Amino acid sequence: MLTLLSAMTLMLVAGAQGLLPAVADEKNLKPPENIEVYIIDDNFTLEWNSSDGTVGNVTFSAVYQTPEMDDWIKLPGCQHTAGTKCYFSLPDLDVYEELQLRIRTEKGNDTSSWSEVYSFIPFNKAQIGPPKVHLAAEDKAITVYISPPGTADNVMWSLDNKAFTYSLVMWKNSSNIEERIEKVQPGGKIYKLSPETTYCLKVRAQLLLYSKIGIYSPVCCINTTVENKLPPPENLEISANNKSYIMKWDYAYVNVTFQAQWLHGFLKIASGTNLHKWEQIPNCEHIKTTYCVFLRKFFPKGIYYLRVQASNGNSTSFWSEEKKLNTAIYTIIPPPVISMKPVNDSLRVDINAPGVPLIYEIIFWENNSNTEYLSEQPLKNLLLLTTEEQIERCFIIENTNTNTIMKETNQIDEDHKRYNSQTSQDSGNYSNEDENTGSKASEELLQLETGSPEMNS
């Protein structure tokens, strides 16, 4: 009993003499307030307010925790911080997972209680930083080389690095007015500029899927060069036949030769410059014509960019504006198999293209005439009316791929052929109507073509 009383007496005396400050001062030191995290790329900033109003000799330390952790871990870069801000990064962090932070005040060996837990998902709070920009000038164009925001081994945008799109604001340095806003790809060019002029621009990245718009890069300026003696080719156009692509362009000068190059579309969004990635198009080198022909098989399915350059002796032009080639657009559809046979006073046309549900357009003419007649609209099944004599209207109902009945009538204008539509139904039956029910037949044919509720029921 005496020993217990003696121990209690010693504690009271020690407390009175200030020998137990941790217990007393923890009530005096208050935890930080108004905690906030700001993220740009992989760079985290933790900010807070001191509850005491003044920092003085107080420091702060923070800890963090993720859902799979049982313990709180010291936050790197945020230990014994003298100010109300610290910077940290967590290289192995899952940016799509919730992160919790808390912070406390310190003074010597004394600490406050921990602040309230601050929770957030890093990717949701992150802002896209400025991209890195490098410029190269021609006489009337500027090439914009762009590296994506963040570092090469960044964590925040590792899954979205190829999804960035870029826009720029550009102006003449002399005017200082932002006059051009447009989309740009890494390694893309800005055309239609003036020679020997200083242009300035800034670029920002975007992730449209997440509605994230980044911070503009620092302003970059460059001078365009003296106007080149040879202008670049203009107005590139691409067409195709069964086996080849034909690329054409315009050029006003004579006694020049041309060469054409291609670039994979995916390299347009790759990081770094693509200066040495362009390759020669076969059969499009040292040609004197303003077109070149190259095999379709040379370009497998995908997106490519093409460009042309003019040369005259030792003089060469800059490259033309790039033309996008999407090979899917030039898919060749095999021609249908067509058969015709007379049916009473009509001509039946069967169009057979198994497995290819398409709409066809028919051109026909009389054997003793050079005039071609073209359908007013491309329809699958057509009822053709010509001009020589009045006969009954009719339409065919038959389960074939596509069929057409051509008939003659003197009600149609002499200079035109007119078409009405029908859809194949059932098999092998014909329906005849007299002249007074012509409008009704046209309505029925239109309903058959468009799939009206009456027919679908």
Side-chain angles (χ1 to χ4, degrees):
M1 186 70 176
L2 181 61
T3 303
L4 178 61
L5 289 173
S6 299
M8 293 177 63
T9 302
L10 289 173
M11 290 178 65
L12 290 172
V13 172
Q17 295 177 351
L19 299 179
L20 297 175
V23 175
D25 284 357
E26 185 170 350
K27 297 180 180 178
N28 295 327
L29 291 176
K30 296 180 181 179
E33 298 176 333
N34 303 323
I35 297 173
E36 187 59 77
V37 172
Y38 303 94
I39 309 172
I40 298 177
D41 299 333
D42 281 355
N43 301 312
F44 292 68
T45 302
L46 174 62
E47 294 186 8
W48 60 90
N49 291 335
S50 173
S51 300
D52 294 331
T54 59
V55 176
N57 295 325
V58 173
T59 60
F60 303 90
S61 291
V63 292
Y64 76 96
Q65 189 179 56
T66 59
E68 72 273 7
M69 293 179 178
D70 295 326
D71 300 321
W72 290 86
I73 308 299
K74 290 183 178 180
L75 188 64
C78 295
Q79 299 300 307
H80 312 301
T81 303
T84 56
K85 178 190 299 186
C86 63
Y87 306 94
F88 68 95
S89 62
L90 298 170
D92 298 327
L93 179 69
D94 183 348
V95 298
Y96 305 100
E97 188 176 64
E98 183 183 46
L99 180 66
Q100 295 183 329
L101 299 177
R102 63 183 187 180
I103 188 169
R104 68 183 180 184
T105 308
E106 305 164 330
K107 188 173 184 180
N109 293 326
D110 305 328
T111 62
S112 71
S113 60
W114 290 105
S115 67
E116 293 185 6
V117 173
Y118 181 83
S119 300
F120 64 100
I121 296 175
F123 186 85
N124 292 347
K125 290 188 70 69
Q127 186 174 9
I128 302 171
K132 301 174 185 64
V133 179
H134 169 69
L135 305 179
E138 299 175 4
D139 58 349
K140 299 179 183 179
I142 292 174
T143 305
V144 185
Y145 298 107
I146 303 172
S147 296
T151 59
D153 56 350
N154 80 90
V155 175
M156 190 65 67
W157 316 122
S158 59
L159 299 181
D160 301 283
N161 220 18
K162 299 295 188 292
F164 282 120
T165 60
Y166 300 92
S167 60
L168 63 80
V169 177
M170 185 175 184
W171 62 95
K172 288 183 180 179
N173 191 42
S174 57
S175 67
N176 206 30
I177 298 175
E178 298 180 354
E179 57 185 34
R180 290 181 64 167
I181 301 176
E182 55 186 88
K183 302 293 183 182
V184 66
Q185 293 178 315
K189 287 186 179 181
I190 309 300
Y191 294 96
K192 298 178 174 62
L193 304 180
S194 301
E196 300 182 85
T197 304
T198 302
Y199 289 91
C200 297
L201 59 83
K202 56 185 179 181
V203 181
R204 68 181 178 185
Q206 302 160 88
L207 285 174
L208 299 180
L209 180 62
Y210 306 105
S211 300
K212 288 182 177 291
I213 299 177
I215 302 170
Y216 275 112
S217 67
V219 173
C220 300
C221 298
I222 196 170
N223 295 324
T224 51
T225 62
V226 176
E227 186 169 7
N228 200 39
K229 293 181 179 179
L230 287 179
E234 297 180 329
N235 304 323
L236 269 65
E237 296 293 339
I238 301 174
S239 59
N241 57 31
N242 287 336
K243 295 184 178 181
S244 302
Y245 289 112
I246 302 97
M247 182 167 63
K248 300 179 180 179
W249 56 88
D250 294 334
Y251 204 73
Y253 288 40
V254 296
N255 298 323
V256 296
T257 59
F258 303 96
Q259 64 167 327
Q261 293 182 338
W262 65 275
L263 175 72
H264 277 295
F266 71 85
L267 290 176
K268 278 288 184 180
I269 58 174
S271 60
T273 66
N274 301 313
L275 186 61
H276 303 294
K277 302 293 185 180
W278 288 86
E279 298 187 36
Q280 186 67 44
I281 299 178
N283 300 325
C284 295
E285 187 175 11
H286 305 305
I287 56 175
K288 295 184 178 181
T289 58
T290 55
Y291 66 88
C292 68
V293 180
F294 47 96
L295 294 177
R296 291 168 59 92
K297 67 180 182 180
F298 184 75
F299 291 96
K301 186 177 180 180
I303 293 176
Y304 303 86
Y305 289 86
L306 311 181
R307 65 183 186 180
V308 182
Q309 183 184 58
S311 299
N312 184 352
N314 294 327
S315 298
T316 59
S317 72
F318 290 112
W319 290 98
S320 67
E321 291 192 33
E322 297 158 11
K323 184 70 175 180
K324 183 178 179 180
L325 169 62
N326 185 349
T327 59
I329 296 176
Y330 297 96
T331 301
I332 298 298
I333 300 172
V337 177
I338 299 176
S339 62
M340 297 186 295
K341 66 178 180 179
V343 178
N344 297 329
D345 51 3
S346 303
L347 178 64
R348 169 172 169 164
V349 179
D350 290 326
I351 303 173
N352 188 6
V356 185
L358 298 170
I359 294 176
Y360 292 95
E361 188 174 64
I362 292 180
I363 299 175
F364 76 99
W365 60 90
E366 297 175 1
N367 192 40
N368 59 355
S369 170
N370 291 326
T371 303
E372 293 184 354
Y373 300 93
L374 182 66
S375 65
E376 294 176 352
Q377 55 182 335
L379 300 170
K380 288 196 300 182
N381 302 293
L382 308 173
L383 180 62
L384 174 64
L385 305 176
T386 61
T387 61
E388 294 185 3
E389 58 181 346
Q390 175 67 41
I391 61 170
E392 290 183 332
R393 298 173 184 263
C394 76
F395 61 93
I396 188 169
I397 304 176
E398 185 169 333
N399 187 20
T400 59
N401 190 326
T402 304
N403 53 62
T404 298
I405 292 295
M406 300 182 178
K407 300 187 67 69
E408 300 179 352
T409 176
N410 58 13
Q411 291 182 334
I412 308 304
D413 182 81
E414 291 290 338
D415 295 328
H416 297 85
K417 304 293 182 181
R418 187 169 298 172
Y419 294 80
N420 288 324
S421 171
Q422 64 174 357
T423 299
S424 299
Q425 304 279 343
D426 207 336
S427 63
N429 299 321
Y430 291 80
S431 172
N432 296 328
E433 303 177 29
D434 61 27
E435 183 178 3
N436 295 328
T437 60
S439 60
K440 181 179 179 181
S442 298
E443 293 176 2
E444 291 176 349
L445 291 172
L446 181 59
Q447 290 173 355
L448 283 165
E449 179 63 33
T450 58
S452 66
E454 292 84 354
M455 293 303 301
N456 292 333
S457 62

